[in-house]
Amino acid sequence: MRKHPEYFNSLGGGLWRGRIYTAGKFGLVLGRSVIYHGTFATGFFQTLYAAEPSWALMLLTSFEYHVLVTLPLLVLSAPFHFLFPVALASLVVSLAVCVTAGWQAELPKDRKRLWSRALVALLFFLQPIARGWARYKGRLGLRPTPQAAIERLEGLSQKDSGEPLGRLHFWGDHGIDRIDWVNGLVLRLDQQGWPSKTDSGWSEYDIEIFGSRWSQLQLTTATEDFDGGKRLFRCRLRAFWSLPAKAAFWSLLGFEMLLIGVVARDEPWLWMLLLTMPIFGWFLEQEKRNLLRSIAAFVDEVARQRGLTKLKYDAERDKFEVGA
């Protein structure tokens, strides 16, 4: 996934539009199979098409469902006993989907045993958990920031003036093409070891850059043509918290709220734990700004090598000036 992030969705699942033609079912099927017989039954090759699995029901067996729904309900049922039936119902629904899928499984006659369908049902239950755990374990692992970026940040640490970094502007001529410039950015990112993915044709950005464990960034470019063979290159940088950052922040908040709900009656000072959330949020925002500063400096460097002149926008006078 780190080498080819464009082939995975936001949850880490693979993006593939193909289909494996097999008798095996990959989920719980609710609809009936359909035979294509051609107009007025004149088709020479009348094919049986199996119904698609009900992915909405299969979500009840997913790793995300167990972690975000069933597990919190089980934990909260300890201090709030009225939630235990709800937690139990959530678990039973997941098991019922797996049992039904095992019952629907088409087993070879020479392989049938008394425990075959029970085994298939168990595998339906365990497979999403095993794959989901491995997927998130890899995603939550540390993404090492390239050494060149670390050195660049150290050089910038003494001159952070607090200016906005989300918009960059460069001046050039028609001899410099935006697509070539973006391809140059991608090439330099690969050379420096930045994990990134480019626009697939459906994205709202040109490049998405995976920074440290806590932040990532989307880069978008545009050009304006002017008289005299000149071009204005606009670059937008949008940094945001990564999945590990969001998971850590909300997990910590959930843990503190659970602890306060259970113990705060006897230990009122535990409400002070909530003060750690703004501190942790400030740390994540600093990580996001560090990534913005590093990528902004990176874009400046590539633009300068391409012969582009950096401009600074003066909002008060509504004009661009040659920047540092």
Side-chain angles (χ1 to χ4, degrees):
M1 182 179 178
R2 294 181 183 178
K3 291 183 179 180
H4 304 283
E6 66 274 14
Y7 297 132
F8 297 85
N9 59 27
S10 58
L11 294 178
L15 296 176
W16 185 61
R17 300 293 182 263
R19 179 169 181 175
I20 299 175
Y21 291 90
T22 174
K25 294 183 174 66
F26 296 98
L28 181 63
V29 178
L30 297 181
R32 65 184 183 90
S33 300
V34 179
I35 297 177
Y36 174 76
H37 49 70
T39 305
F40 306 132
T42 57
F44 287 106
F45 304 98
Q46 298 186 6
T47 306
L48 176 67
Y49 287 90
E52 290 287 338
S54 175
W55 297 114
L57 288 178
M58 293 309 297
L59 284 176
L60 299 176
T61 68
S62 66
F63 179 76
E64 292 80 8
Y65 180 81
H66 293 310
V67 171
L68 299 178
V69 179
T70 305
L71 185 60
L73 285 173
L74 288 172
V75 173
L76 289 173
S77 63
F80 308 106
H81 301 294
F82 64 90
L83 287 177
F84 182 73
V86 181
L88 187 60
S90 175
L91 181 60
V92 168
V93 168
S94 299
L95 293 176
V97 172
C98 296
V99 169
T100 306
W103 176 73
Q104 289 184 345
E106 298 179 6
L107 304 176
K109 292 183 179 179
D110 59 340
R111 299 281 183 176
K112 287 185 179 179
R113 304 289 188 273
L114 289 175
W115 40 262
S116 296
R117 295 193 183 278
L119 176 61
V120 173
L122 177 62
L123 293 176
F124 262 101
F125 180 77
L126 294 178
Q127 183 261 3
I129 297 175
R131 292 194 62 175
W133 170 254
R135 185 167 64 239
Y136 281 99
K137 183 179 179 181
R139 295 187 70 190
L140 294 173
L142 178 63
R143 288 193 185 101
T145 304
Q147 185 61 34
I150 296 176
E151 295 174 354
R152 185 182 295 114
L153 269 179
E154 291 174 349
L156 294 171
S157 60
Q158 301 301 324
K159 52 179 182 180
D160 185 6
S161 59
E163 76 279 3
L165 300 172
R167 307 275 179 169
L168 300 176
H169 305 88
F170 302 94
W171 189 251
D173 53 40
H174 284 182
I176 304 174
D177 183 72
R178 182 182 69 89
I179 304 302
D180 291 337
W181 180 44
V182 173
N183 285 329
L185 290 171
V186 174
L187 179 61
R188 185 60 61 86
L189 287 169
D190 292 340
Q191 290 174 348
Q192 293 192 3
W194 282 101
S196 65
K197 68 177 179 180
T198 56
D199 176 22
S200 61
W202 302 94
S203 307
E204 298 180 352
Y205 54 83
D206 294 332
I207 310 171
E208 185 170 17
I209 302 169
F210 300 90
S212 65
R213 180 196 295 254
W214 307 112
S215 59
Q216 55 195 80
L217 179 144
Q218 292 176 352
L219 183 150
T220 309
T221 61
T223 55
E224 294 182 42
D225 292 333
F226 290 85
D227 294 336
K230 296 296 183 179
R231 277 180 175 167
L232 176 64
F233 293 79
R234 297 178 179 268
C235 184
R236 183 182 66 195
L237 305 178
R238 188 178 74 88
F240 50 93
W241 293 2
S242 65
L243 176 64
K246 295 175 183 177
F249 183 86
W250 293 111
S251 297
L252 180 60
L253 178 60
F255 173 76
E256 290 186 358
M257 291 300 296
L258 177 62
L259 187 62
I260 290 171
V262 174
V263 188
R265 290 183 180 179
D266 300 324
E267 303 290 343
W269 62 269
L270 280 176
W271 285 99
M272 300 293 292
L273 283 176
L274 292 178
L275 294 177
T276 61
M277 300 310 303
I279 297 174
F280 188 38
W282 173 84
F283 166 76
L284 294 177
E285 287 296 316
Q286 285 298 113
E287 288 291 308
K288 189 173 72 172
R289 180 168 178 80
N290 285 342
L291 179 62
L292 264 175
R293 293 166 58 209
S294 182
I295 297 301
F298 170 84
V299 172
D300 288 347
E301 179 183 345
V302 176
R304 185 170 57 253
Q305 293 175 353
R306 291 296 177 113
L308 299 177
T309 303
K310 185 177 180 180
L311 300 179
K312 185 177 181 181
Y313 179 68
D314 190 341
E316 294 182 357
R317 293 187 291 177
D318 191 24
K319 62 181 296 185
F320 290 101
E321 299 176 347
V322 176

